[in-house]
């Protein structure tokens, strides 16, 4: 059974700047609290690019190998797991607002199988969305402060 989690958030930077931070897996530990480590496997992020990523979430350490499917600067990035305790597909779509800021629409489709035991799928969805809410709010605050200091 697939669990789909979605969330839209705003960042006080252009879509190009938002993309550079969010769609570069090497930046994940900088802005995602659950991300412990990332290792790029075959060069810079691009379609077909692969990386290993480790998360610590819900008391579990999870390691995945991921491949980038789409990488369109300032517009869209999409990725999927090749290996790990369960499968997922993630997408970030970037839209420029009239004031030059960005709305990012995040979608995450997870096939957890029995990995989380008897945890209801609705609770897993809530944990994922809350994690992105916290991380994106912290990122927006940091980027806003950096913009004011320029």
């Amino acid at each position: 059974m697939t669990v789909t989690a979605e969330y839209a958030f705003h960042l006080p930077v252009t879509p190009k700047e938002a993309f550079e931070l969010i769609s570069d897996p090497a930046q994940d530990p900088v802005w995602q609290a659950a991300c412990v480590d990332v290792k790029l496997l075959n060069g810079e992020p691009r379609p077909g690019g692969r990386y290993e990523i480790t998360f610590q979430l819900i008391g579990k350490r999870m390691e995945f190998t991921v491949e980038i499917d789409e990488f369109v600067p300032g517009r869209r990035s999409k990725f999927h797991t090749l290996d790990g305790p369960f499968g997922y597909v993630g997408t970030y779509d970037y839209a420029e607002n009239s004031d030059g800021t960005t709305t990012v629409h995040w979608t995450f489709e997870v096939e957890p199988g029995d990995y989380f035991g008897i945890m209801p799928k609705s609770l897993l969805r809530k944990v994922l969305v809350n994690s992105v809410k916290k991380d994106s709010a912290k990122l927006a605050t940091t980027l806003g402060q950096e913009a004011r200091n320029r």
Side-chain angles (χ1 to χ4, degrees), residues 12-13 17 137-150:
V13 294
E17 292 171 291
K138 183 179 173 186
L139 181 60
T141 299
T142 301
L143 292 172
Q145 290 170 347
E146 288 175 3
R148 285 189 294 279
N149 291 335
R150 288 185 201 158

Side-chain angles (χ1 to χ4, degrees), residues 65-87:
T65 302
V66 179
E67 183 173 74
I68 298 169
D69 300 311
E70 295 179 50
F71 197 80
V72 183
R75 307 264 325 227
R76 183 172 225 240
S77 60
K78 186 174 182 176
F79 49 91
H80 73 279
T81 53
L82 296 171
D83 187 42
F86 54 86

Side-chain angles (χ1 to χ4, degrees), residues 20 92 106 108 127:
E20 287 172 359
Y92 292 101
W106 166 79
F108 202 67
V127 166

Side-chain angles (χ1 to χ4, degrees), residues 82-105:
L82 296 171
D83 187 42
F86 54 86
Y88 64 78
V89 174
T91 306
Y92 292 101
D93 286 304
Y94 302 82
E96 186 168 6
N97 299 314
S98 59
D99 62 357
T101 63
T102 304
T103 297
V104 180
H105 186 257

Side-chain angles (χ1 to χ4, degrees), residues 1 7 18 42 58-60 62 68 73 88 110 112 124 134 145:
M1 176 186 207
Y7 184 66
N42 59 347
I58 317 171
K60 293 181 177 270
M62 301 168 276
I68 298 169
Y88 64 78
V110 184
L124 176 57
K134 287 179 192 172
Q145 290 170 347

Side-chain angles (χ1 to χ4, degrees), residues 25-81:
Q27 296 296 317
D28 287 358
V30 173
W31 74 278
Q32 293 181 32
C35 185
V36 176
D37 188 45
V38 173
K39 179 180 163 189
L40 298 176
L41 299 176
N42 59 347
E44 294 299 310
R46 66 186 188 296
R50 294 180 178 185
Y51 57 97
E52 292 174 345
I53 189 164
T54 304
F55 294 102
Q56 182 75 34
L57 187 66
I58 317 171
K60 293 181 177 270
R61 185 176 178 92
M62 301 168 276
E63 298 177 358
F64 299 90
T65 302
V66 179
E67 183 173 74
I68 298 169
D69 300 311
E70 295 179 50
F71 197 80
V72 183
R75 307 264 325 227
R76 183 172 225 240
S77 60
K78 186 174 182 176
F79 49 91
H80 73 279
T81 53

